[in-house]
Amino acid sequence: MTHPAGSHLQFTWQCLGNGHNGDNFLAEMKLVNLSELDLAGKGWTIYFNTCRKIKPETVTGGVLIEQVNGDLWRMQPTAEFGKLASGDTRLIAYEGMFWTISNTDAPLGFYIVYDEGTPAARAEAIGDPRILPFATDAARDRNANDKTPQKWSAESRYADNAGLSVMAPAKVGKITPTPLDAAFNDHACVIDADTLIVHDAALACEAAFLRSALHDVSGVELQRSAIRVPGRIAITLQLGKVAVQGATDEAYRLDIGVDGVTITGQSAHGVFNGIQSLRQLLPVDSFLNPQEALLVPCGHVVDSPRFAYRGMHLDVGRNFSSKESVLRLLDCMALYKLNKFHFHLTDDEGWRLEIPGLPELTDIGSKRGYTADERDNLVPCFGSGAEVEGSSGTGYYSRADYLEILRFATARHIEVVPEIDVPGHARSAIKAMEARYHRLMSEGREAEAKQYLLNDFNDASKYESVQLWHDNVICIALDSAYAFIEKVLDEVHAMYKEAGAPFKTMHTGGDEVPHGAWEGSPLCQAFMKEHGLATIQDLLNYFMERYRGMLKKHGLTFGGWEEIALVKETHDGATHHVPNPKFVNANFQPYVWNNVWGWGQEDYAYQLANAGYKTVLSNVTNLYFDLAYAKDPAEPGYYWGGFIETRYAYEFCPLDIFTTATVNLFGHPLDREALDKKVRLTAEGVQNILGIQGQLWSENVRNAGRLEYLAMPRVIALAERAWAADPGWTSIEDAVARQAKMDTDWNEFANRLGQRELPRLDGFLGGYGYRIPQPGAKIENGKLYANVSAPGLTIRYTTDGSEPIATSPRYIAPVEVAGTVKLATFSSSNRKSWTVKVA
């Protein structure tokens, strides 16, 4: 070997400060040669991923850094590099666009390629850099205008939690989401091995689910019966009318007496919902430590959901999540009565579903790693690195996998809404079909090669997508593009039919087509001229109309992000998006995410609902669970739409987002006068709000643990707002009184999390890896004060500088301390939060 191995090279990275030359940042990387061999000044290229654009002209250290495509960048030595001798360090400084205040912002996935462009080319992983602390306010704030409080210190968290208090268990709600009516007494029903599950044939699936769920917490297999047996306690499942105002098919009544349990559902789904409430009434400890005899409090529950659409979105295109992770999320959704699973299966960075007859989609489009030409796999993204196998960027669901997911969800009364993203966000499909084209052309099969082609090879359009791609939009002038969509639709529909799963909506994406797309495509320009299409918007309308016809043939609703239902208008010298009247009655279902405070689009959802569109609220400011929980460099996730604490999801007011809003992205008070001019929901608009949905995008979901950390407990707060009745906050005119009511309600919900929901998750599915909040703490007059955002969780501490462990002293009340104090929050299964230190 004549070169240092990639594993013998090491990077560190640090943000030096933000707000440089306007909204830019300064950063530096240090490349260390740990090898016994010198790194020469030529013959190598180092690749890495970063979502923050680097200004090549500012780079120092004898290297050139330039963008390849998307978030992939390359570093090459210049004549000034010389060499990096064994044991030496090279400082590489640069200026980048916007800001870096989080570990998530750091460049990732470094690898080195030697002899690139030759048969001897080889890539070797270097790995992620060691990220140095964000040591100053200039590094922790986006710029001088950033007033969002920093949350990296124990003292700041203590202040945040100051309004919380531990409630007596009897005062804490037993069921989440909160039912319409529930009352319990001091008696209990005992469920044990002698208990029967009684049901008729129409509820066999629900009975089987209940039997399995009870086995998980008891180890006992209950018998099922079509009739009650005298003298034996029974859990009876039955269909019947539920007397509750606004009852839907999902309504249920749960009656618990010492002699048995009866669950009456308006439909099978209603019975299933009643089963979830019964599960939540089981002893919380039984989920972690099964009990052969389960005591359930006697009483009744009568319930029906606020919204028909209660959804959770998971992106597996950017980074792949295993089938097992998906099934675990679906089980959590079922427990909290969420009923729609928006499955984002494709994106620029990956195609995740096997489509019979189009093997390249998964043979190439589902794989990421080093490549010279993308004929075998896509380029690395989001730090997925040089290696294809084992990468977070590689993976797909076989047809059998998808059938299993569909059946699993259907058994839990969850509808799977698949998303195949077109015409933008389609790079993985474009590259896969391009590889198919080249393969078949090399075999002399030209007609087949062109059958599903998605790009115009002569397209000279200049554009850059939000994720920095320059070639991610399907050429919608090609008949082969529509043949491709039709093929995918046919195969997906066949899977749903085979699985016996409902297929009602196809989510088409339809978002973020970058400005400039199609303008330089000879095929698109000729197509527009031929069909009398004057503008790019006309071309896009043609695409959606034609796509709608395909969906109509399958009896499907046209789902998509808000762009599918908006059109640009120019007036007063400015461009505005307004509801597109062309598709109001065309069975379009927009999912509206863009309500970022200060961007001017806060009322898009209400405009669309008022115009007649059936709308799903997917608001970024409260419901984007890939965003970081708090402004703390160690918290994973982006923050372009804000920081989304669990409380923000809990306090989402679907029908009036304005009354309770307080600050913008940078922590400044909102302009109430400007908000007052925004569109509010009309009576008709209220009826067009189908419900709400949480989103979990996967740019930073590099493993299963990260998915569960980001999802929970925010999904529980989502379920509360989607199911439970309106808490009435927005109807309280006095701001002080309104805040007091919100604080009181949050305290109860936070206690529910700490005392019931999170301990239940410790045993659920073998332990669901929710985020354990760090404790808040301060020392005053030699005394330690500590708290946590989910009262009921255990705080432990040490005073000798050691790491807190499960046997460390438990914090109960203020205590005198001396020395270095470290604290951590512990779950009931003794998982722990990050450690904090106070002095």
Side-chain angles (χ1 to χ4, degrees), residues 278-550:
L278 176 61
R279 294 173 82 189
Q280 293 196 13
L281 292 172
L282 300 172
V284 172
D285 289 347
S286 67
F287 286 80
L288 188 61
N289 300 296
Q291 303 171 11
E292 290 188 6
L294 302 164
L295 270 66
V296 185
C298 291
H300 75 269
V301 181
V302 182
D303 207 4
S304 188
R306 181 184 186 190
F307 291 109
Y309 191 111
R310 306 181 304 282
M312 184 63 200
H313 159 283
L314 176 65
D315 162 29
V316 295
R318 273 59 181 274
N319 279 310
F320 183 68
S321 288
S322 69
K323 177 185 69 177
E324 290 70 27
S325 287
V326 172
L327 299 182
R328 285 169 64 83
L329 180 60
L330 287 167
D331 254 334
C332 287
M333 289 175 61
L335 181 63
Y336 295 106
K337 304 185 181 79
L338 296 175
N339 65 349
K340 309 288 183 183
F341 178 51
H342 179 172
F343 206 1
H344 188 92
L345 290 162
T346 73
D347 217 295
D348 295 319
E349 300 84 5
W351 182 284
R352 306 305 184 186
L353 179 61
E354 178 187 14
I355 300 295
L358 299 178
E360 284 84 1
L361 286 173
T362 46
D363 288 349
I364 296 165
S366 76
K367 299 175 181 177
R368 294 208 302 260
Y370 170 65
T371 173
D373 55 16
E374 294 190 285
R375 295 287 181 92
D376 296 316
N377 55 264
L378 306 178
V379 296
C381 310
F382 310 117
S384 56
E387 300 298 323
V388 173
E389 298 304 321
S391 157
S392 61
T394 294
Y396 71 93
Y397 308 105
S398 68
R399 194 174 187 278
D401 288 336
Y402 198 65
L403 288 170
E404 183 179 346
I405 290 169
L406 290 176
R407 289 169 177 144
F408 189 91
T410 302
R412 288 154 180 77
H413 293 274
I414 296 172
E415 178 188 344
V416 179
V417 179
E419 180 178 353
I420 306 295
D421 214 338
V422 290
H425 286 284
R427 191 174 187 273
S428 60
I430 292 168
K431 288 298 177 182
M433 292 302 94
E434 187 178 317
R436 178 183 183 276
Y437 169 86
H438 289 303
R439 173 177 64 83
L440 293 172
M441 286 294 287
S442 69
E443 298 171 5
R445 300 158 63 184
E446 182 175 358
E448 290 176 72
K450 294 180 178 179
Q451 185 180 6
Y452 299 119
L453 190 64
L454 299 178
N455 55 319
D456 176 359
F457 289 114
N458 296 313
D459 190 350
S461 300
K462 301 296 183 184
Y463 61 81
E464 184 172 87
S465 75
V466 176
Q467 288 78 25
L468 310 181
W469 295 108
H470 302 106
D471 55 355
N472 75 331
V473 182
I474 287 172
C475 177
I476 57 177
L478 286 167
D479 279 341
S480 55
Y482 299 95
F484 172 83
I485 293 171
E486 188 81 66
K487 168 68 173 172
V488 171
L489 273 175
D490 287 344
E491 294 295 344
V492 171
H493 200 173
M495 292 184 218
Y496 277 79
K497 185 176 181 180
E498 183 174 338
F503 189 22
K504 300 177 182 178
T505 302
M506 168 60 82
H507 199 291
T508 64
D511 61 320
E512 295 182 332
V513 174
H515 178 73
W518 302 312
E519 291 179 358
S521 164
L523 289 175
C524 286
Q525 294 303 311
F527 185 89
M528 291 172 65
K529 185 176 181 180
E530 178 187 352
H531 290 79
L533 306 175
T535 66
I536 292 296
Q537 181 65 53
D538 291 338
L539 178 63
L540 186 56
N541 282 349
Y542 169 88
F543 167 79
M544 290 195 292
E545 185 66 50
R546 189 164 170 180
Y547 196 173
R548 182 176 79 97
M550 299 181 198

Side-chain angles (χ1 to χ4, degrees), residues 161-221:
N161 300 333
L164 296 172
S165 60
V166 179
M167 297 174 64
K171 298 292 186 181
V172 178
K174 292 179 170 59
I175 298 172
T176 303
T178 304
L180 288 175
D181 176 44
F184 303 97
N185 56 47
D186 294 333
H187 301 288
C189 176
V190 180
I191 298 174
D192 58 20
D194 290 331
T195 303
L196 282 177
I197 299 175
V198 178
H199 66 93
D200 60 28
L203 298 173
C205 292
E206 288 66 37
F209 180 91
L210 174 60
R211 185 171 186 258
S212 176
L214 291 173
H215 176 264
D216 289 342
V217 294
S218 69
V220 174
E221 297 277 4

Side-chain angles (χ1 to χ4, degrees), residues 54 70 180 239 266 312 332 450 457 482 491 553 572 621 655 796 818 824:
I54 294 169
L180 288 175
L239 297 173
Q266 198 101 339
M312 184 63 200
C332 287
K450 294 180 178 179
F457 289 114
Y482 299 95
E491 294 295 344
K553 187 180 75 172
D572 299 328
T621 54
L655 304 184
R796 298 188 183 276

Side-chain angles (χ1 to χ4, degrees), residues 5-80:
S7 59
H8 291 167
L9 300 173
Q10 183 184 83
F11 276 95
T12 62
W13 178 88
Q14 186 172 33
C15 171
L16 302 179
N18 298 298
H20 178 75
N21 287 336
D23 271 337
N24 294 305
F25 66 91
L26 293 175
E28 63 181 23
M29 295 185 278
K30 292 179 181 178
L31 172 59
V32 184
N33 183 4
L34 303 175
S35 170
E36 296 179 354
L37 302 172
D38 295 343
L39 179 64
K42 62 180 180 179
W44 56 266
T45 303
I46 291 176
Y47 290 89
F48 59 95
N49 297 112
T50 178
C51 63
R52 293 289 187 257
K53 296 187 74 170
I54 294 169
K55 296 187 172 183
E57 69 275 12
T58 67
V59 177
T60 68
V63 297
L64 170 68
I65 298 179
E66 58 185 355
Q67 183 188 15
V68 179
N69 202 352
D71 73 339
L72 183 64
W73 297 72
R74 63 177 160 235
M75 175 192 300
Q76 294 176 312
T78 66
E80 290 76 35

